[in-house]
Amino acid sequence: MRTLVCVLALCCLAPPVEARDDSSFRADYRSEAGGSIEIGLIGFSDLVRSKATSLGEAELARLSGYLRDDLERALIDANWHGVAARETVLTVTILDVVPNRPTMQQIQDMAGAHYTSHADGGAALSAVLRDADGTLIATFNYVWFNPDSGAGDGYGVWTDTRQAFDQFAGALASSLGVAPMPRS
């Protein structure tokens, strides 16, 4: 139990952006997306950056890759990726992440940390969608932290975070509606 408390204290330097048991997706559209949506920069909030030393820089790169893969898959499945010459760009910020298990960096840095330790994880994200001219089309916000992942049997380091990424990507793609037909 002491190990779990140490891991939680280290990986959760600050409380999540919103309540842990809140699951929410919000989209605010100012206009409709008119073309292919390309994924731009995936960045990190100051909160996540402050956790980088504890989590490990390699973990941030891994998280960015997971999120990009989920967004690409959701946008392709919804026909929003590569459908028109005039593209829009989606820029995403990972506002907060909480791992289910200690990262390798945390295990190396903390004498009491062990991979069998478990915590409820998740993520908070925000994104903006801009057209080719840079005009804001929409903003998106999503928060999901698993309120009860039980004993964590079968959970990896980022199981809940990856679930949050996948849910965010699906909700974002669904909120876009029907993709426009390709233009000549």
Side-chain angles (χ1 to χ4, degrees), residues 95-179:
L95 300 173
D96 194 9
V97 291
V98 176
N100 291 105
R101 301 214 182 270
T103 65
M104 289 304 295
Q105 186 69 46
Q106 289 171 323
I107 291 171
Q108 291 172 0
D109 291 347
M110 296 175 58
H114 191 273
Y115 185 76
T116 58
S117 301
H118 174 262
D120 297 332
L125 305 135
S126 69
V128 295
L129 186 62
R130 296 186 182 275
D131 68 15
D133 299 325
T135 303
L136 180 66
I137 294 172
T139 59
F140 307 94
N141 291 288
Y142 182 75
V143 176
W144 184 76
F145 290 93
N146 192 344
D148 182 21
S149 59
D153 296 336
Y155 276 60
V157 173
W158 298 112
T159 300
D160 285 338
T161 299
R162 292 188 73 182
Q163 183 175 344
F165 287 177
D166 182 61
Q167 291 170 351
F168 169 72
L172 188 146
S174 291
S175 78
L176 291 165
V178 177

Side-chain angles (χ1 to χ4, degrees), residues 42-152:
I42 295 178
F44 301 95
S45 70
D46 290 342
L47 174 61
V48 175
R49 281 268 159 228
S50 73
K51 293 180 177 185
T53 303
S54 167
L55 296 173
E57 283 291 333
E59 295 299 327
L60 298 188
R62 182 174 290 119
L63 290 171
S64 177
Y66 290 154
L67 181 55
R68 184 173 298 278
D69 290 347
D70 286 343
L71 287 166
E72 284 178 355
R73 186 173 31 259
L75 292 171
I76 288 169
D77 289 350
N79 295 318
W80 275 102
H81 192 67
V83 296
R86 190 164 170 85
E87 66 186 35
T88 54
V89 178
L90 180 69
T91 305
V92 183
T93 302
I94 300 174
L95 300 173
D96 194 9
V97 291
V98 176
N100 291 105
R101 301 214 182 270
T103 65
M104 289 304 295
Q105 186 69 46
Q106 289 171 323
I107 291 171
Q108 291 172 0
D109 291 347
M110 296 175 58
H114 191 273
Y115 185 76
T116 58
S117 301
H118 174 262
D120 297 332
L125 305 135
S126 69
V128 295
L129 186 62
R130 296 186 182 275
D131 68 15
D133 299 325
T135 303
L136 180 66
I137 294 172
T139 59
F140 307 94
N141 291 288
Y142 182 75
V143 176
W144 184 76
F145 290 93
N146 192 344
D148 182 21
S149 59

